[in-house]
């Protein structure tokens, strides 16, 4: 039988961090052959795109795994059967706060992990994935790369890029 996975996120009507995360994860899980459902309180532009490779559901049933993005969804889905893992994408927004209604927590950065620990929740860090089919070079990069732009909030990643640039002169 196919593994059933639910991804639950508060809203998919605009383009933002957790919306992109939902899209990328749903697309990859679908590509790997999992049966993926999406639950959201506020569908829209992102859920319209996701519906090409995942099923939008109004009332979730039972799942093997439930990936939850926001406290509102974790609390709403508390009685739905399945292992629930909440991914916390931020420190300050109320929706990003950890819920006690899930089995485990994931932090997307060390900053988020430290926040979760301060409020009494253990977590594992899993940095956001990147859709390498979408974000790849379209033109060949010449051998004399002169400028590098890194847009990242994770200090270790920034230092790794700086070190690589120094090594390559």
């Amino acid at each position: 039988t196919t593994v059933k996975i639910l991804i639950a996120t508060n809203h998919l009507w605009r383009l933002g961090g957790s919306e992109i995360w939902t899209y990328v994860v749903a697309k990859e899980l679908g590509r790997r052959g999992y049966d993926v459902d999406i639950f959201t309180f506020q569908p829209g532009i992102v859920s319209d795109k996701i519906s090409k490779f995942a099923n939008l559901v109004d009332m979730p049933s039972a799942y093997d795994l439930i990936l939850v993005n926001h406290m509102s969804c974790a609390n709403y889905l508390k009685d739905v059967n399945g292992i629930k893992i909440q991914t916390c994408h931020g420190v300050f927004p109320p929706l990003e706060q950890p819920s006690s209604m899930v089995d485990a927590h994931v932090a997307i950065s060390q900053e988020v992990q430290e926040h979760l620990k301060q409020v009494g929740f253990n977590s594992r860090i899993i940095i956001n994935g990147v859709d390498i089919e979408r974000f790849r070079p379209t033109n060949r990069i010449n051998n004399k790369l002169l400028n590098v732009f890194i847009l990242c909030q994770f200090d270790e990643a920034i230092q790794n890029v700086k070190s690589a640039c120094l090594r390559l002169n």
Side-chain angles (χ1 to χ4, degrees):
T1 63
T2 304
V3 174
K4 287 187 65 172
I5 300 174
L6 175 69
I7 301 175
T9 193
N10 189 73
H11 48 274
L12 290 170
W13 60 271
R14 65 175 182 194
L15 196 57
S18 58
E19 295 84 357
I20 293 170
W21 182 95
T22 301
Y23 179 89
V24 169
V25 171
K27 182 178 176 185
E28 180 60 21
L29 290 173
R31 186 188 71 77
R32 291 178 182 226
Y34 295 104
D35 183 6
V36 180
D37 286 349
I38 303 293
F39 171 79
T40 184
F41 296 114
Q42 300 173 32
I45 188 169
V46 181
S47 57
D48 293 345
K49 298 283 185 189
I50 290 174
S51 67
K52 295 174 185 172
F53 46 83
N55 307 306
L56 299 174
V57 295
D58 292 327
M59 184 44 107
S61 56
Y63 293 88
D64 298 297
L65 176 64
I66 302 172
L67 301 174
V68 180
N69 277 336
H70 297 109
M71 181 190 282
S72 58
C73 292
N75 295 339
Y76 182 79
L77 299 171
K78 68 180 187 278
D79 295 326
V80 176
N81 289 331
I83 297 169
K84 297 176 187 80
I85 301 173
Q86 181 184 7
T87 299
C88 295
H89 298 269
V91 172
F92 299 110
L95 284 175
E96 297 295 349
Q97 300 310 306
S99 170
S100 61
M101 302 294 170
V102 299
D103 300 297
H105 293 87
V106 169
I108 63 150
S109 69
Q110 186 174 357
E111 176 189 27
V112 173
Q113 185 181 49
E114 289 170 7
H115 168 71
L116 295 178
K117 188 174 183 178
Q118 287 177 352
V119 296
F121 293 89
N122 292 325
S123 64
R124 290 265 176 121
I125 296 174
I126 301 178
I127 297 169
N128 287 340
V130 175
D131 181 348
I132 60 173
E133 293 295 317
R134 182 173 177 211
F135 296 103
R136 66 179 192 272
T138 55
N139 299 320
R140 184 164 171 76
I141 299 173
N142 66 31
N143 291 334
K144 294 187 179 188
L145 186 62
L146 301 176
N147 297 298
V148 174
F149 176 72
I150 180 168
L151 182 62
C152 181
Q153 298 176 15
F154 193 52
D155 288 335
E156 184 178 354
I158 293 169
Q159 292 308 314
N160 287 342
V161 171
K162 283 183 179 180
S163 294
C165 290
L166 289 172
R167 280 194 308 260
L168 296 171
N169 197 21

